[in-house]
């Protein structure tokens, strides 16, 4: 088999199985690994969940593998093996101890603590390492992790729905623009983010639950509301006590049960980012309203965007659709589902 074709087949398998982790790796990257002996995959592994064994360890700890087979095999990993101690020991050390002589990676790790150091450690121990530099594939499955590491801020997902005449809803009443079947997709996204961010008007008009009701995971995001002058009342919220509610405002700092009023400059993007980082938030879903989406878009802080357009619905005298800056997006997917046009935009980040 041609070596380039071989590398392509086996590394793509690594990326494919890495996706099995879904949202379970939390702030960690999704990584897949395969062990190849005589041009055949003899073992596979992926990083199942945050704090659990990494893909390389899952792959190499297969009880059906003999030391002889491992030493004569090539290890493929979608992302550079880590060289630092975190929740688990360094994977580079595990690879060296296994006796493997050749490793093929999808790309370097954007984490400054690792970036190139894992490859360097392996090479210093006499291993052959090939970096395929598949940045686009890495972006497809690990864009949140890349944003966290490269920019030192949370990954922001924007989402809004509009009518066929480009209205986001009526001025003072809640409009159901998309069907419940589509809600399941975004509830799945909610299950994998740390917080859902909305503005004061969205809270007042829609009274949204902002939780995950359609997937089997128990993960529920915290709630973040931007209400600069505290124009809404939040004292009688009927919301799960295991979730935190952060009311970001310019007036006061105060805590009542799980409701946290946080005083900061709500128009200062740097202050907002510092707050999110202080709470360990790595992924945030922005569900409205129009001004908040535009605010983050104008700062180039929307990393992924969903626009759902109901092709059969018209809303007279409604709220105009958000004005977004699309120049920063490199990738667009578009499809129609039950009369809803779904446009999905993503960035491509080189590192």
């Amino acid at each position: 088999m041609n070596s380039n074709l071989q590398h392509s087949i086996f590394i793509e398998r690594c990326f494919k199985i890495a996706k099995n982790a879904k949202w379970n790796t939390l702030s960690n990257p999704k990584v897949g690994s395969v062990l190849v002996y005589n041009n055949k995959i003899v073992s596979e592994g992926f990083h199942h969940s945050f704090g659990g064994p990494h893909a390389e360890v899952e792959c190499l700890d297969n009880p059906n593998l003999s030391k002889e087979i491992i030493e004569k095999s090539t290890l493929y990993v979608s992302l550079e093996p880590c060289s630092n101690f975190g929740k688990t020991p360094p994977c580079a050390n595990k690879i060296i101890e296994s006796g493997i002589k050749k490793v093929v990676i999808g790309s370097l790790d954007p984490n400054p603590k690792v970036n190139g150091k894992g490859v360097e450690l392996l090479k210093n121990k006499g291993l052959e390492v090939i970096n395929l530099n598949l940045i686009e594939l890495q972006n497809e499955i690990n864009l949140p992790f890349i944003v966290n590491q490269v920019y030192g801020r949370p990954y922001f997902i924007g989402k809004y729905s509009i009518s066929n005449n480009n209205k986001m809803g009526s001025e003072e009443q809640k409009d159901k623009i998309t069907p419940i079947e589509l809600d399941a997709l975004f509830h799945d996204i909610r299950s994998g983010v740390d917080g859902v961010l909305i503005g004061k008007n969205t809270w007042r008009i829609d009274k949204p639950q902002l939780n995950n009701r359609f997937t089997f995971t128990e993960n529920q995001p915290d709630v973040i509301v931007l209400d600069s002058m505290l124009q809404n009342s939040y004292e009688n919220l009927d919301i799960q006590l295991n979730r935190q509610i952060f009311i970001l405002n310019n007036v006061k700092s105060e805590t009542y049960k799980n409701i946290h009023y946080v005083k900061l400059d709500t128009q200062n993007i740097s202050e907002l980012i510092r707050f999110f980082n202080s709470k360990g938030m790595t992924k945030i879903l922005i569900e409205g309203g129009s001004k908040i989406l535009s605010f983050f878009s104008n700062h180039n802080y929307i990393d992924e965007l969903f626009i759902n357009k109901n092709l059969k619905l018209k809303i007279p005298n409604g709220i105009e659709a958000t004005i977004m800056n699309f120049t920063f997006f490199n990738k667009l997917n578009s499809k129609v589902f039950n009369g809803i046009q779904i446009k999905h935009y993503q960035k491509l980040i080189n590192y």
Side-chain angles (χ1 to χ4, degrees), residues 76-228:
Y76 287 81
V77 192
S78 60
L79 187 68
E80 175 185 14
C82 60
S83 55
N84 62 313
F85 280 88
K87 293 283 184 181
T88 60
C91 293
N93 290 356
K94 174 78 173 181
I95 295 169
I96 293 166
E97 293 165 1
S98 74
I100 285 173
K101 303 296 188 296
K102 185 175 181 178
V103 179
V104 180
I105 66 171
S107 74
L108 296 180
D109 189 328
N111 183 346
K113 295 179 180 179
V114 179
N115 191 255
K117 297 181 180 68
V119 169
E120 183 181 8
L121 177 58
L122 295 175
K123 287 184 174 180
N124 287 341
K125 293 297 183 178
L127 280 73
E128 179 186 358
V129 182
I130 298 174
N131 176 14
L132 300 179
N133 201 33
L134 301 173
I135 299 298
E136 189 165 349
L137 277 179
Q138 204 64 259
N139 271 257
E140 284 184 14
I141 67 168
N142 281 320
L143 191 55
F145 177 72
I146 294 170
V147 167
N148 296 161
Q149 299 301 325
V150 173
Y151 297 136
R153 64 165 175 81
Y155 178 79
F156 292 102
I157 306 168
K159 170 251 179 179
Y160 65 93
S161 300
I162 55 175
S163 65
N164 197 35
N165 60 333
N166 295 319
K167 304 295 184 182
M168 295 181 71
S170 303
E171 291 286 351
E172 292 298 328
Q173 70 178 38
K174 182 177 180 179
D175 291 293
K176 182 63 176 169
I177 295 177
T178 56
I180 194 170
E181 292 86 358
L182 192 60
D183 291 345
L185 166 64
F186 294 101
H187 282 233
D188 183 52
I189 293 175
R190 284 179 182 176
S191 74
V193 300
D194 302 300
V196 179
L197 172 63
I198 62 171
K200 67 180 188 303
N201 291 335
T202 301
W203 183 274
R204 177 175 54 83
I205 296 170
D206 291 351
K207 300 292 190 296
Q209 296 182 59
L210 302 177
N211 61 1
N212 159 36
R213 301 186 295 280
F214 294 104
T215 63
F216 294 108
T217 177
E218 295 181 357
N219 293 337
Q220 296 288 353
D222 289 335
V223 175
I224 310 161
V225 183
L226 278 181
D227 187 351
S228 299

Side-chain angles (χ1 to χ4, degrees), residues 155-160 186 189 284-288 293 296 301-308 324 329 343-345:
Y155 178 79
F156 292 102
I157 306 168
K159 170 251 179 179
Y160 65 93
F186 294 101
I189 293 175
I284 295 175
L285 176 61
I286 304 175
E287 293 206 17
L293 283 160
F296 279 84
Y301 277 15
I302 302 289
D303 304 297
E304 185 174 1
L305 175 67
F306 292 89
I307 302 176
N308 308 315
M324 303 292 293
F329 294 108
K343 288 188 175 181
H344 180 204
Y345 299 84

